[in-house]
Amino acid sequence: MAYKKWIIADADKERASEVSEKFNIDPFVAFLLVSRGIREDIDVSDFLASSCEFSDPFKLKDMEKAAARIEQAIDFGEKITVYGDYDCDGVTSTALLITFLRNMGAEADYYIPSREAEGYGMNKTALDKIQSGGTKLIITVDNGISAIDEADYIYSLGMELIVTDHHQIGDVLPKAEAVINPHREDNDIKFRDLAGVGVAFKLVCAIYGDTEDMLYQFSDLVAIGTIADIVPLVSENRGLVKAGLRMINEGSRMGIEALKRAAGADEKMLSSTDVAFMICPRINATGRVDSASRAVELLIAESFDDAAFKADQLNIDNTHRQELEQNIFEDVKLKIAENPALVKNRVIVISGESYHHGVVGIVASRVLDEYGKPVIIIGVDENGNARGSARSIDGFNIYDAISDCEDLLSQFGGHPKAAGMSLKADDIDEFRKRINEYALDHYPVMPAQAINIDIKMSPFYLNLELAKNLSVLEPFGEANPRALFALVGLTIISITAMGNGKHIRLECEKKGKKIRVVKFGCSEEDFPFAVGDKIDAAVRISVNPYNGREYLSVQAADIKRNGIDDEKYFSEKSVYELFSLNRNNDTSVFPGREICSVIYKFLKSKGEWRFGFDELYFSLNQVTYGQLKFALKAFEQSGLIAADNHKITVCRVDAKVDLMNTSIMKELKGRLNRE
């Protein structure tokens, strides 16, 4: 994994103390609230409240028009089609609105386009099909705000349109009876960050006239879609998810109960984190690899046997999705091994034949975690058409970067940290070149991949009581993540393998206080530290019930060597990258004979190194980032080492080697005018 910069939050300790005393909450919890900007009494009170005051749905522009038109369609028996989307937000939005309309006596069906065959949003072929089925009114959920041409086409076919969406608004609104979007500037609302399902919920509240009743009926669907779409879990979203989690855990909807059972969570009280990792991926999976309609049918199922069958199908889809994802990820790693230059670029762009469009975004996220750079993974079909998904780090706007290459693209869209695009396969190389030129021009120093930590604290304060007290911050999610604590200067006492070797448990100690830390997804073989080493650990804590008792569970999100200088590392890395791009001639990257000797002696003492470049840099602690990069290249060219991905093997060499005669050293000396 790429090395991450730790950013530790700061807060007004005096104000945190006042909040702790006034609201009778744990001092650390109060510190977290203040550091996250929740510092005024009214904001703290609202955040800690068990319920939420929801705004009047009619404060959304066009809501009155939408409600009146839908009521008219129901009264006159006009057929309504809900036009949804294939992701979890779109699926839950569709299930919510179709259930409500049918309960109100409407003749209603729904349409969700195929991710693979049709792509996002409305298309004219689908609209022809909908019109031929007798539909008079189309209501979009989680899409439609950018469908300008398609909206006009709807009216040319004699149908009418209501748009409900939450995506950003362009310069022109689509033709419609009503356009409901929280981002409209003419809304009379304070909170605008609703998911698509949140907007659909506002619509049914307006038609029905009672928010509490609608919460009782639909908050479970709203919670799942809101969590899945990674919108901020604050304000109304927080209230919706709180209510939805209660409904999910009470087991009131057959489809969700069946899905919980299929996920092995039917006996568990689910948190927002559980929903994010157990429920949402299964709903998303069917839209990625099959038809999202299967997920809608599960959520509106009226018999448990039917729901159980459909939930098992979604489970199979999720397994298939995982297999597709792993196959593409392995192919991407192979391409990188064959052509390391791919990951030296500022923006990593990798393409492959028949990469499934439904999972390339997940693969891009995994590659980003591995290399700490913006990533675009592109799948190419047999006709030479290419579709890609991008993921980025904080501080690098991938949407703007892609927009700069607009002339090469047939379609694109997205956000600062995630985007998608379509283009011709023949243009991929030029696209890679152009987007990296943009990155170099606009980001001379690339933003560091960061991990945000709430508090640096002593392990003496980590206990079961604190883990329980943190529950007042639930539900966790975007803009309200689980608390992350930095434990600095821990000494490793023991390392134990867990889960058939897939995970490890560390016994650590600081000033006589012992603590157990679990690191998931890291084998003992891949762990770069040994007993006696001092480490810093960024950890999350939770309550672990077992055999009728409760225990403190401490899970490491990140572990690094104690005493690392973040600023030095990222500064030297930037110097090296700019040097490689001929943007400087900094002599600090040149590894002289003495430096090369230090590096080689260290590697020879180990025999091999399998923990990656960053950990080798930190272990040496006396060479610059650039010196190590170029020294390793010289060692490889001279046959002293063999490098394979993250592994370095020291080779047996009988003859004397002159490193300064390697091509990389000659190139460096010529460029830097060194003898």
Side-chain angles (χ1 to χ4, degrees):
M1 293 296 174
Y3 179 73
K4 299 177 179 66
K5 184 176 185 178
W6 287 16
I7 300 176
I8 300 176
D10 194 13
D12 182 339
K13 294 182 177 62
E14 186 175 335
R15 177 56 188 154
S17 179
E18 292 171 357
V19 169
S20 173
E21 186 174 349
K22 185 163 188 175
F23 290 92
N24 193 29
I25 58 176
D26 185 286
F28 289 114
V29 174
F31 183 93
L32 286 171
L33 290 172
V34 173
S35 72
R36 295 178 180 189
I38 305 167
R39 51 178 294 123
E40 301 303 324
D41 284 357
I42 186 150
D43 295 328
V44 175
S45 180
D46 287 346
F47 191 87
L48 298 177
S50 58
S51 59
C52 174
E53 184 175 335
F54 297 100
S55 63
D56 183 348
F58 287 103
K59 289 191 173 183
L60 285 161
K61 186 69 175 178
D62 280 0
M63 184 62 83
E64 194 167 337
K65 293 179 182 177
R69 181 63 186 90
I70 293 168
E71 288 169 0
Q72 176 187 322
I74 295 171
D75 290 343
F76 286 91
E78 294 177 307
K79 185 176 179 181
I80 302 171
T81 294
V82 178
Y83 199 110
D85 185 34
Y86 40 67
D87 70 1
C88 191
D89 187 17
V91 165
T92 50
S93 302
T94 303
L96 185 158
L97 189 53
I98 199 70
T99 300
F100 173 80
L101 291 172
R102 289 173 179 174
N103 288 347
M104 294 291 288
E107 182 188 355
D109 65 5
Y110 66 89
Y111 187 92
I112 296 181
S114 161
R115 179 192 290 263
E116 196 66 19
E118 299 172 87
Y120 173 77
M122 291 191 285
N123 65 83
K124 292 180 180 179
T125 301
L127 296 174
D128 286 338
K129 182 178 178 181
I130 290 168
Q131 192 268 346
S132 68
T135 291
K136 297 298 182 184
L137 177 65
I138 293 175
I139 309 172
T140 71
V141 287
D142 194 31
N143 75 98
I145 197 65
S146 60
I148 309 302
D149 293 341
E150 291 80 5
D152 290 340
Y153 190 66
I154 285 171
Y155 280 86
S156 76
L157 294 175
M159 298 183 289
E160 293 182 343
L161 173 67
I162 291 173
V163 172
T164 77
D165 199 354
H166 73 122
H167 292 97
Q168 294 297 318
I169 298 173
D171 296 333
V172 180
L173 293 178
K175 180 179 181 180
E177 305 306 296
V179 177
I180 302 169
N181 188 310
H183 295 292
R184 287 186 63 165
E185 292 184 1
D186 47 0
N187 288 321
D188 183 23
I189 58 173
K190 292 181 180 179
F191 184 70
R192 298 175 182 270
D193 289 325
L194 293 167
V197 71
V199 181
F201 177 74
K202 289 285 187 181
L203 175 63
V204 302
C205 289
I207 297 169
Y208 190 78
D210 191 313
T211 297
E212 284 301 316
D213 275 2
M214 293 297 95
L215 274 175
Y216 181 76
Q217 290 188 48
F218 298 117
S219 61
D220 55 348
L221 295 175
V222 181
I224 292 170
T226 298
I227 291 168
D229 218 52
I230 320 180
V231 289
L233 289 196
V234 297
S235 189
E236 292 194 41
N237 284 342
R238 180 172 170 80
L240 289 167
V241 172
K242 272 190 174 183
L245 289 172
R246 286 194 293 269
M247 187 174 174
I248 289 168
N249 287 312
E250 288 168 1
S252 58
R253 192 176 304 276
M254 290 179 189
I256 295 175
E257 279 299 288
L259 196 54
K260 285 165 61 179
R261 190 182 74 171
D266 49 331
E267 299 296 327
K268 184 177 182 180
M269 293 291 289
L270 299 188
S271 66
S272 56
T273 304
D274 295 324
V275 170
F277 285 97
M278 303 176 82
I279 303 300
C280 299
R282 286 170 166 80
I283 294 174
N284 264 325
T286 193
R288 293 184 187 279
V289 303
D290 205 308
S291 169
S293 298
R294 290 166 63 166
V296 176
E297 291 302 314
L298 166 69
L299 295 176
I300 65 176
E302 296 183 354
S303 80
F304 190 79
D305 287 344
D306 183 37
F309 174 74
K310 289 181 168 64
D312 288 340
Q313 287 182 311
L314 263 63
N315 228 21
I316 292 169
D317 285 341
N318 192 48
T319 300
H320 181 42
R321 185 269 303 170
Q322 291 169 332
E323 292 170 351
L324 286 171
E325 174 193 331
Q326 188 59 32
N327 289 340
I328 295 172
F329 185 60
E330 292 297 331
D331 191 67
V332 166
K333 289 197 296 184
L334 182 63
K335 283 181 166 59
I336 292 170
E338 292 172 346
N339 183 14
L342 287 170
V343 294
K344 291 181 180 178
N345 289 324
R346 303 199 136 205
V347 180
I348 298 171
V349 180
I350 298 175
S351 62
E353 292 184 4
S354 302
Y355 283 2
H356 195 291
H357 178 64
V359 299
V360 290
I362 305 173
V363 175
S365 294
R366 292 178 65 177
V367 178
L368 182 148
D369 285 340
E370 190 77 18
Y371 293 96
K373 297 179 177 182
V375 177
I376 303 173
I377 304 296
I378 301 174
V380 180
D381 68 19
E382 64 276 7
N383 298 316
N385 298 312
R387 294 167 69 184
S389 283
R391 298 292 184 271
S392 190
I393 55 177
D394 284 324
F396 186 98
N397 191 318
I398 194 69
Y399 177 79
D400 286 349
I402 291 170
S403 299
D404 194 65
C405 308
E406 182 177 4
D407 58 300
L408 296 173
L409 309 174
S410 55
Q411 192 175 10
F412 72 98
H415 309 283
K417 290 181 67 176
M421 78 294 300
S422 300
L423 68 163
K424 292 295 182 183
D426 291 344
D427 290 330
I428 292 174
D429 288 342
E430 180 64 18
F431 174 71
R432 181 186 293 109
K433 175 176 173 286
R434 287 264 301 277
I435 200 167
N436 274 286
E437 287 173 350
Y438 173 92
L440 187 59
D441 290 342
H442 291 78
Y443 297 86
V445 177
M446 282 290 283
Q449 191 177 18
I451 182 167
N452 294 306
I453 293 172
D454 291 289
I455 309 174
K456 182 168 73 173
M457 67 189 302
S458 165
F460 283 89
Y461 295 107
L462 284 191
N463 52 48
L464 195 58
E465 182 182 7
L466 176 59
K468 290 180 177 179
N469 290 338
L470 288 171
S471 65
V472 302
L473 301 175
E474 285 271 16
F476 296 118
E478 183 71 9
N480 184 43
R482 290 177 63 196
L484 195 58
F485 303 101
L487 306 179
V488 177
L490 300 177
T491 301
I492 300 175
I493 298 172
S494 68
I495 305 170
T496 306
M498 297 170 53
N500 296 320
K502 295 179 180 178
H503 320 294
I504 54 172
R505 182 177 65 242
L506 308 177
E507 188 88 23
C508 299
E509 181 269 340
K510 182 177 182 180
K511 295 182 179 179
K513 171 66 175 178
K514 292 183 179 179
I515 186 169
R516 284 183 173 179
V517 179
V518 174
K519 183 74 172 78
F520 292 110
C522 179
S523 68
E524 192 172 0
E525 184 183 48
D526 293 332
F527 189 59
F529 307 110
V531 170
D533 285 348
K534 277 197 170 184
I535 60 169
D536 299 341
V539 303
R540 298 185 177 95
I541 64 174
S542 59
V543 179
N544 182 24
Y546 183 72
N547 282 346
R549 296 184 61 186
E550 293 179 328
Y551 299 88
L552 177 69
S553 175
V554 183
Q555 312 96 33
D558 196 27
I559 296 175
K560 64 180 182 179
R561 191 175 298 276
N562 176 246
I564 285 174
D565 185 340
D566 277 357
E567 296 302 328
K568 177 177 179 290
Y569 168 84
F570 285 108
S571 174
E572 291 179 1
K573 183 179 181 182
S574 179
V575 167
Y576 164 75
E577 289 179 344
L578 289 171
F579 184 93
S580 299
L581 294 165
N582 293 312
R583 291 299 179 103
N584 69 37
N585 280 321
D586 198 305
T587 58
S588 68
V589 303
F590 183 78
R593 295 182 188 276
E594 188 176 332
I595 292 295
C596 287
S597 176
V598 168
I599 298 169
Y600 183 68
K601 284 178 180 178
F602 179 85
L603 289 172
K604 195 171 182 181
S605 71
K606 301 293 181 180
E608 68 173 21
W609 186 262
R610 62 178 185 275
F611 305 123
F613 176 87
D614 287 342
E615 195 52 47
L616 178 59
Y617 166 84
F618 293 127
S619 297
L620 286 162
N621 197 34
Q622 52 188 326
V623 302
T624 70
Y625 190 99
Q627 286 173 337
L628 182 56
K629 280 285 188 181
F630 287 123
L632 292 176
K633 187 67 175 176
F635 294 166
E636 197 172 3
Q637 288 180 355
S638 64
L640 289 174
I641 65 170
D644 179 18
N645 202 8
H646 293 296
K647 184 179 177 181
I648 297 171
T649 304
V650 178
C651 303
R652 181 176 175 177
V653 179
D654 296 326
K656 189 175 180 179
V657 170
D658 182 5
L659 288 175
M660 297 303 142
N661 203 36
T662 57
S663 61
I664 187 63
M665 287 300 194
K666 287 180 178 178
E667 180 185 334
L668 288 175
K669 286 192 292 182
R671 182 169 163 184
L672 298 173
N673 296 317
R674 296 178 71 108
E675 291 297 328

